[in-house]
Amino acid sequence: MANLKEVRNRITSVTSTQQITKAMKMVSAAKLKRATNAIVQLRPYATKLREILAQVSASVEGNDSPYTQDRIPTKVLIVVVTSNRGLAGAFNANAIKTTNNLIATKYADQFARGDVSIIAIGKRGHDFFSKREFNVIGNHNELFNNLDFENVSKITEYVMEQFKEGNIDRVEVVYNQFRNAAVQILTSEQILPLLPDNKEDEDVAELDYIIEPSKEKIIEELIPKAIKIQLYKAVLDSHASEHGARMTAMDKATENAGDLLRQLKLSYNQARQAAITTELTEIVSGAAALSNG
């Protein structure tokens, strides 16, 4: 059985760790509230924007937008959204695993030719892919220091320009879609080329809009906006999912620390009882020896 000093040191260490995990849980809970508000407010806007785009596009014959040209995916770009920090359970590992599976199953030929590129949003994803046989062309770890639409749009504009020039034929984004603090859904979405959503076309077919100056001009403005909103929504989803995953992980770690403390205190009491019993036995034995002498 471990001696008393070792058990005491272990109890002190676990108690300190429990205090840290409890504090991190509270910090993540506060950040989760702000991140959740951001994504919840954006979703209706993004949905309505896609509905309007679908309706207007359906009424225009021919669409020569460079961002809707569906080409053979010879060169592929994957945007991977992770976090800058760990201690979030399997949050980052799942995003990385989903990206690897996407490449292995859908773009294996392109990867073998070296035609798969990666833009990493988040230090964890960047560190993983840059240390392996991947062509990482973008590092945007600083994005989470000031997460807003303008900063995310800079990434989207670069991607759109590369697609427009023909340097990239398809762009997909991999991220954790936020459902609640305990549930994050791994998602991969195609953001370029922007393809029409047939379901949305059917849903909004009966709607009528007063359009100025023209349908063609509106489509020209809406398509880049829709692409930017799509990536922005993915980053906000991932940001909220990160804090939800970290809060859940820290809550579980705090519970585990509590269970471990109970076991350690039981061991401590047993060791202390054994030590007291030994001391009493020695005293009694000594007293008996003296009386016999």
Side-chain angles (χ1 to χ4, degrees), residues 57-98:
S57 299
S59 62
V60 175
E61 292 186 5
N63 186 355
D64 57 356
S65 171
Y67 306 118
T68 59
Q69 305 305 313
D70 192 10
R71 306 189 290 260
I72 297 175
T74 303
K75 297 181 180 179
V76 179
L77 173 66
I78 299 177
V79 181
V80 186
V81 188
T82 57
S83 68
N84 288 339
R85 298 164 52 222
L87 298 177
F91 172 81
N92 292 309
N94 287 341
I96 292 170
K97 181 179 179 181
T98 300

Side-chain angles (χ1 to χ4, degrees), residues 126-145:
H126 177 266
D127 289 349
F128 178 89
F129 290 107
S130 61
K131 292 177 182 178
R132 291 164 175 80
E133 297 179 4
F134 294 91
N135 179 28
V136 181
I137 63 173
N139 177 8
H140 300 279
N141 302 341
E142 76 290 344
L143 182 65
F144 294 109
N145 297 332

Side-chain angles (χ1 to χ4, degrees), residues 41-182:
Q41 292 171 7
L42 179 67
R43 280 174 178 166
Y45 175 79
T47 301
K48 193 64 178 178
L49 180 63
R50 290 298 297 265
E51 287 180 0
I52 295 173
L53 181 60
Q55 167 66 15
V56 176
S57 299
S59 62
V60 175
E61 292 186 5
N63 186 355
D64 57 356
S65 171
Y67 306 118
T68 59
Q69 305 305 313
D70 192 10
R71 306 189 290 260
I72 297 175
T74 303
K75 297 181 180 179
V76 179
L77 173 66
I78 299 177
V79 181
V80 186
V81 188
T82 57
S83 68
N84 288 339
R85 298 164 52 222
L87 298 177
F91 172 81
N92 292 309
N94 287 341
I96 292 170
K97 181 179 179 181
T98 300
T99 303
N100 283 328
N101 290 340
L102 178 67
I103 293 173
T105 58
K106 193 173 180 180
Y107 301 117
D109 293 339
Q110 291 88 335
F111 180 71
R113 296 195 305 266
D115 289 332
V116 174
S117 303
I118 289 178
I119 288 181
I121 300 178
K123 186 175 185 298
R124 295 291 170 167
H126 177 266
D127 289 349
F128 178 89
F129 290 107
S130 61
K131 292 177 182 178
R132 291 164 175 80
E133 297 179 4
F134 294 91
N135 179 28
V136 181
I137 63 173
N139 177 8
H140 300 279
N141 302 341
E142 76 290 344
L143 182 65
F144 294 109
N145 297 332
N146 186 17
L147 181 56
D148 57 24
F149 179 71
E150 182 179 353
N151 288 330
V152 177
S153 292
K154 293 177 182 177
I155 302 174
T156 314
E157 288 169 0
Y158 168 78
V159 171
M160 291 166 62
E161 185 64 25
Q162 293 297 308
F163 182 85
K164 184 178 180 180
E165 292 178 356
N167 298 327
I168 299 170
D169 300 308
R170 181 169 296 174
V171 181
E172 295 205 30
V173 57
V174 177
Y175 66 100
N176 284 271
Q177 189 178 77
F178 180 77
R179 280 292 176 264
N180 54 57

Side-chain angles (χ1 to χ4, degrees), residues 30 33 71 141 150-151 179 191 213 253 262 265 270 275 292:
K33 179 64 176 175
R71 306 189 290 260
N141 302 341
E150 182 179 353
N151 288 330
R179 280 292 176 264
I191 59 176
R262 283 189 289 272
K265 288 177 181 178
Q270 290 174 342
N292 292 332

Side-chain angles (χ1 to χ4, degrees), residues 246-257:
R246 182 170 292 112
M247 188 183 75
T248 302
M250 292 301 99
D251 180 61
K252 187 63 177 176
T254 303
E255 290 182 7
N256 291 340

